[in-house]
C-alpha cells in the first residue's frame, strides 16, 4: 500500500524524470548531498531579500492581509527547508523524508510566486524579479532530488519484488511438505 501511495505521489514528476533519467547517469550519493546543500544555500540567499519586504505597508495600500501570512510562511519555510536539507544530507536514503522535503520545496515555490505578485504591485517589481531569479537557481538541484528519489523508489520496488518472489517460493515449498504427525 505504501509503495502504491508513493508511486501515485511521484506521478507528476515521472514523465519529466523518466526523460531526464534516460539521458542522465544515476545520481550518486555525493551528487545528492551536493544538491541538498545547494537547495539549502539558495534558500539562505533568498531569506535576506524576503526580509526587505514590507507586507504591512502593502496592507496600508489596500493589499489583503493574507500577504502578511504568506510572507511569514515563506520565511518559516526557508528555515524548514534548510533543516530538511541538513537532515537529508545525513541520511539521503530516507525516501519518506525526501518526499516531504520535495513537497515542501514545491509548496514554498508556489507560495513565493504568489507573494512576488504582491511585491510587483505594492513594493518593487525589480526586487520581485531578483527574488524569482534567485529562487529559480535551485531548479537543477531540485530536479536532481526528484531523479534521485525516483531511482530510490525504483530500487526499493525491485527489492520488494525480490523479497516477494522469494517469500512466494518459500510458501510454495512449505505447502508441498506433508503435515507432521502429532
Amino acid at each position: 500500500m505504501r509503495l502504491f501511495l508513493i508511486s501515485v505521489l511521484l506521478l507528476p514528476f515521472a514523465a519529466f524524470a523518466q526523460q531526464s533519467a534516460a539521458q542522465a547517469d544515476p545520481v550518486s550519493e555525493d551528487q545528492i548531498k551536493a544538491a541538498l546543500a545547494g537547495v539549502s544555500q539558495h534558500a539562505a540567499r533568498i531569506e535576506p531579500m524576503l526580509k526587505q519586504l514590507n507586507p504591512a505597508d502593502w496592507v496600508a495600500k489596500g493589499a489583503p492581509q493574507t500577504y502578511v501570512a504568506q510572507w511569514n510562511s515563506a520565511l518559516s519555510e526557508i528555515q524548514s527547508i534548510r533543516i530538511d536539507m541538513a537532515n537529508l544530507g545525513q541520511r539521503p536514503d530516507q525516501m519518506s523524508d525526501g518526499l516531504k522535503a520535495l513537497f515542501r520545496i514545491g509548496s514554498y515555490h508556489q507560495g513565493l510566486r504568489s507573494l512576488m505578485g504582491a511585491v510587483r504591485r505594492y513594493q518593487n517589481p525589480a526586487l520581485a524579479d531578483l527574488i524569482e531569479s534567485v529562487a529559480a537557481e535551485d531548479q537543477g538541484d531540485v530536479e536532481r532530488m526528484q531523479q534521485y528519489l525516483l531511482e530510490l523508489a525504483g530500487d526499493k520496488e525491485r527489492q520488494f519484488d525480490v523479497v516477494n518472489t522469494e517469500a512466494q517460493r518459500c510458501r510454495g515449498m512449505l505447502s508441498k511438505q506433508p503435515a507432521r504427525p502429532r
Side-chain angles (χ1 to χ4, degrees):
M1 180 68 181
R2 292 178 90 186
L3 193 55
F4 174 76
L5 182 59
I6 290 169
S7 298
V8 169
L9 292 173
L10 289 176
L11 279 177
F13 305 113
F16 172 77
Q18 284 178 350
Q19 291 173 346
S20 297
Q23 298 168 350
D25 294 330
V27 178
S28 71
E29 190 169 321
D30 289 339
Q31 289 173 321
I32 193 60
K33 286 182 178 182
L36 296 171
V39 170
S40 181
Q41 290 167 358
H42 285 106
R45 287 184 53 209
I46 292 174
E47 186 174 20
M49 292 180 215
L50 289 180
K51 287 183 177 179
Q52 293 178 19
L53 304 180
N54 301 310
D57 293 346
W58 308 344
V59 172
K61 295 177 183 177
Q65 184 70 30
T66 56
Y67 286 127
V68 175
Q70 284 182 335
W71 177 71
N72 286 322
S73 176
L75 290 172
S76 174
E77 288 291 317
I78 286 174
Q79 295 306 315
S80 297
I81 288 170
R82 294 180 73 194
I83 290 168
D84 286 351
M85 295 304 108
N87 291 339
L88 275 171
Q90 298 298 314
R91 300 263 337 256
D93 62 334
Q94 295 298 308
M95 192 164 42
S96 60
D97 291 342
L99 288 171
K100 283 190 278 188
L102 195 58
F103 293 142
R104 182 185 306 276
I105 292 166
S107 173
Y108 163 73
H109 279 283
Q110 185 176 6
L112 195 61
R113 279 190 295 274
S114 173
L115 189 62
M116 290 307 103
V119 173
R120 277 191 182 79
R121 183 170 180 187
Y122 297 106
Q123 189 167 337
N124 182 346
L127 181 58
D129 291 341
L130 177 63
I131 292 171
E132 284 181 335
S133 68
V134 172
E137 290 175 0
D138 73 352
Q139 287 308 302
D141 292 328
V142 172
E143 288 169 7
R144 225 169 277 112
M145 273 182 69
Q146 289 173 351
Q147 180 184 352
Y148 177 78
L149 288 170
L150 283 170
E151 290 169 5
L152 186 61
D155 289 344
K156 298 285 186 189
E157 199 171 283
R158 284 187 288 281
Q159 290 171 4
F160 176 77
D161 287 343
V162 168
V163 168
N164 189 42
T165 301
E166 185 62 19
Q168 292 297 333
R169 186 185 69 78
C170 291
R171 280 188 208 108
M173 287 175 40
L174 289 173
S175 68
K176 292 178 184 177
Q177 291 180 354
R180 293 185 185 166
R182 290 189 170 194

